Structure formats: structure tokens, C-alpha cells
Amino acid sequence: MLRELYQTKSTQETEALGAALAARMQESDLPRYIALYGDLGVGKTAFVRGFASVIAPESTVRSPTFALVHEHRGKELDLFHFDMYRITGEDDLYSIGYDDYLTRNGICLVEWSENIPFALPDAYLRVTIEKCDADHPDLRAICIEEVAAC
Amino acid sequence: MLILSLDSTAVVGSVALCRDDTPLAVFTVKNGNTHSETLLPMVEAVLNTTNTSVADIDLFACAVGPGSFTGVRIGVATVKGLAFGREKPCAAVSTLEALAENLVPFEGIICPVMNARRGQVYNALFHVENGVLTRLVPDRALSIAELERELAARGEPFALCGDGVDVTTAGFQTLVPSAVSPLLADQSAVSVAKCALRAYQNGEAVSDAALSPVYLRLPQAERERLERNNETKE
């Protein structure tokens, strides 16, 4: 099972890490669902921006806090960018068509997955982004790990 | 009476033109959730092939749920758009009732199941009496375990249909459903038309403005899961 730790020193490096993961996902059978964990402003959307630059280069990535989900048409795979910050339960998930997205041929990137532990798929990638050094506020520890139900 | 009916509440998309009980044309695809792109071209193909115009339709019918949130909305919005301004009646059909109609005249309990994810199904139970479908319980969302308990208590042979057949059969501990043709498992707009005609004859047709989606949500599942998640945190 995949488990990798990285440090990035800037937003650009976080984006590049997202882009690198996207390139690997195109060439492997990694789960096409990425649950993103991390505090406000830690760089989750930057990671997604980098990821989208590979999968759907025409698209502009913004935080979907208001719309809850943004769809990006990709070259081969579509990309569905969720923000679960305002999601509190099954009813909310249903009314954004969450399960419909899981059955489509695309990649789901899900910010604030903390809010939907009950609805994560059996297999997914967990990406955790954290500030790791108070003296270097731009430094990030990023963990990418594969999670699968036993 | 010419009936144009459709079902886009799950992966299957289906459009039919019927004259009363008789299907004139059916167009069904099972090609992923792309109803927003495929449903109207399917309607057009059904109408063109039969040399029918939208103005000829006497009754518009639609499976209004339960089902996928986007699928339900696409179907209802499409029928509303077609019927808009025509003063023609519309019939709102339960997806589950239409699925059950596929299995008439099965002797026993007809048990349509749609996969509502995370161990839940959308379900209702039906009997056939004198060739007519009779509802035993309202449409609901429940766990597969609850459904098995209820069917066991009823103690009759039962048949499953719908996109939840596999997940339900696998989830049952002991009960075994009666065998039916898998051809009958999927949503069919012809069955929607049959239910719609019955609704119309019973005076249950509505205006296009009154046609509404029916979402069966999962408050119980939500409550249970939140409790379970709290337990694991503690």
C-alpha cells in the first residue's frame, strides 16, 4: 500500500506535488478518489490546482466552498472537486448528487473529508496537508497514503 | 391515448411512446449517468421514428423518484419542459411502482430495490391481485437487514428487481429470492406508462406545474452513522 511523506516549501511546490500525483494516477490503478485533510488556508486548493493542471489543463480551479462541487472536463477523465465544509450529513450529500459522481468516469477530489467519514468509498487516497514548522510558515508536511477497507 | 413516458432516476435511461397499454417505441440506454446529454435526443428519436410530434401527446409521464438526485431532477424537468404551455396532463410515477410493474403477474411479493448506497435500498412491496399491482407499503429507504427481517416476517415467496438486486441478494443472510429474468430488472419507460395510465384513470394526473420530484432521503441512516462515528472517536 502506498504511503509517502513529502515536505514542500511553497504553494508552487504543493501544486507541483498535486500535478505529480495526477500524472501517476493516469498511469496506474490508484483509487480515483482523493480525500484531502488539512486546516483552512493550508494549501488543499493549491494541491488540487496542480492536480487539475494535468487532468483538465483548460480549467480554472477555485475553492468550491460556495458551490460545494465544481466539475472540470478533462482530456480523458473528468475531475470533480468537492468541498464538504458545509456538509453535515446524508441529506446534504444526497442533494449535491454525491453518489452520482462516484459512478461517473472521473476523479473525485474531496476537501474537508473530515465531515463525511461515513461516505468515503472502500478504497481511496488520503492526502493530509499540515503546517509543520512555526518558524517557517510556508513549510508543509504532506502525506499521501492509500486506504482500503479490510 | 398517446403517452410519452420516461425514467432517468438511475443509471438506466428509458423513453417510451405508448398508445394506452401498447408500446409503439421504446429507447433504453444503460451507459452511465449521462441523462442530461442523452434523454432529449432519445425523446426526439422516439417521436421522429413514430412520426409523432410533442403536440400529439395526450399524457406525459415520468418516474419522479426515488432515485439519483440528479437523475430525478433531469427527468422531472424534461417532462415539465415538454408539457409546458400545452395544458396536457402529467402523471408522476413512483420509480419503485414502475419497477414492480415489470414483474406483473408474479405470484407473491414483488420487491423492487434501488441501491441507495451504504447498505441502504429504496424499496416498496407489492402484490398482484387480479392482474393489477397492489401496494403493500409506501416507498421508503431502509437497510438491507431491515428489509430481510420484514420479508422473513411476511413468509411469502418474493422476487427482486431494480439496480439493487445484486447488493440486496448479497446482503441477505438467509432469504433467497425467487428467480426472475434479469431482463426485467431494469427501469423501463413502458412500465412507467402503464402506471401513468392507471394514475390518469384514477384521476391522479396533475398539471406540469404540479409535477414534483420525490426524494426519499435517509434520516435514519444519517442518525445511525453519526452515532457510530461518535462511538469510534470515543
Side-chain angles (χ1 to χ4, degrees), chain B residues 34-51:
Chain B
T34 54
H35 304 312
S36 59
E37 293 164 22
T38 54
L39 201 61
L40 273 172
M42 287 164 67
V43 169
E44 194 169 35
V46 163
L47 293 178
N48 287 348
T49 309
T50 54
N51 210 11

Side-chain angles (χ1 to χ4, degrees), chain A residues 73 88-104 114 117-120, chain B residues 33 37 67-72 116-118 122 214-219 221-222 225-226 229:
Chain A
R73 287 287 160 110
T88 56
E90 290 274 3
D91 288 0
D92 290 347
L93 273 188
Y94 177 78
S95 57
I96 62 168
Y98 174 76
D99 290 319
D100 301 341
Y101 285 105
L102 299 188
T103 62
R104 283 169 63 176
E114 291 92 330
F118 52 87
L120 293 173
Chain B
N33 277 321
E37 293 164 22
S68 122
F69 182 74
T70 27
V72 165
R117 314 279 162 191
R118 297 180 279 288
Y122 300 124
V214 174
Y215 307 121
L216 278 186
R217 292 174 296 177
L218 314 172
E222 178 182 341
R225 292 231 165 63
L226 284 174
N229 292 329

Side-chain angles (χ1 to χ4, degrees), chain B residues 95-174:
Chain B
T95 315
L96 294 163
E97 184 183 335
L99 275 170
E101 187 68 44
N102 290 1
L103 297 192
V104 172
F106 178 80
E107 300 271 337
I109 293 174
I110 299 179
C111 179
V113 279
M114 297 177 71
N115 190 352
R117 314 279 162 191
R118 297 180 279 288
Q120 301 262 321
V121 286
Y122 300 124
N123 163 261
L125 302 176
F126 300 85
H127 261 156
V128 179
E129 285 168 17
N130 303 320
V132 179
L133 203 59
T134 309
R135 182 182 279 278
L136 301 176
V137 298
D139 292 357
R140 67 260 172 99
L142 80 176
S143 74
I144 291 168
E146 284 174 281
L147 178 61
E148 183 171 27
R149 280 197 293 277
E150 185 172 333
L151 286 169
R154 287 179 183 268
E156 282 182 71
F158 65 95
L160 302 176
C161 58
D163 65 13
V165 167
D166 290 345
V167 69
T168 303
T169 308
F172 279 177
Q173 301 289 318
T174 53

Side-chain angles (χ1 to χ4, degrees), chain B residues 222-234:
Chain B
E222 178 182 341
R223 212 167 46 237
E224 287 173 1
R225 292 231 165 63
L226 284 174
E227 283 167 10
R228 205 177 311 149
N229 292 329
N230 288 339
E231 280 168 17
T232 43
K233 273 179 203 152
E234 279 161 9

